[in-house]
Amino acid sequence: MPVVRSSDAVTHEIHGARFVSYATPLSGAKELCAWRGEIPAGTKAPAHTVNREEIFHLLIGELLITLDDTTHRITAGDTVIVNPGATFAVENPTDHTALTWVTTSIGLEAELADGTRITPPWAN
């Protein structure tokens, strides 16, 4: 069983948020990937539609999550299950950085409203 040290995690930044990836094919994962998300105060990420189920757990903070046009306020300890084909957006309306833990299967892709496809390097 591979051990991924925090010093070996890879950091990516996109849409004002930071993604610190731990479990990826490059670190030895065969089916799943996982990362910590750091969502700064005031960040409003664009809505995107995902092709894989995504489990989004809020570790610290408070966020507004829009899932298929319904907005939910979540707080630390809450988990959001994002099913394949769902449209998902995240906003941090607070003045503190929120921390998340996300798990999905390898091969996650997201499509923005304008049709742009994103293949996140931390999920592939």
Side-chain angles (χ1 to χ4, degrees):
M1 171 157 106
V3 174
V4 179
R5 305 280 178 204
S6 60
S7 59
D8 294 330
V10 178
T11 301
H12 305 275
E13 294 190 22
I14 186 171
H15 299 297
R18 175 179 292 173
F19 302 88
V20 184
S21 61
Y22 295 90
T24 70
L26 291 175
S27 65
K30 302 292 185 216
E31 296 181 16
L32 300 175
C33 53
W35 62 89
R36 184 182 73 233
E38 301 171 4
I39 305 165
T43 297
K44 186 172 184 177
H48 56 283
T49 303
V50 296
N51 70 329
R52 302 256 198 260
E53 183 175 65
E54 194 172 1
I55 306 301
F56 183 98
H57 182 74
L58 186 58
L59 298 168
I60 296 172
E62 183 177 319
L63 294 171
L64 294 176
I65 300 293
T66 302
L67 191 58
D68 289 332
D69 299 321
T70 301
T71 301
H72 307 270
R73 182 174 298 274
I74 65 169
T75 58
D78 292 346
T79 299
V80 178
I81 299 170
V82 184
N83 289 308
T87 300
F88 180 60
V90 178
E91 179 180 356
N92 182 351
T94 73
D95 57 359
H96 296 89
T97 296
L99 297 179
T100 65
W101 185 259
V102 180
T103 302
T104 189
S105 55
I106 291 169
L108 175 77
E109 291 184 349
E111 184 173 336
L112 300 177
D114 67 2
T116 302
R117 294 183 88 67
I118 297 172
T119 302
W122 56 88
N124 289 284

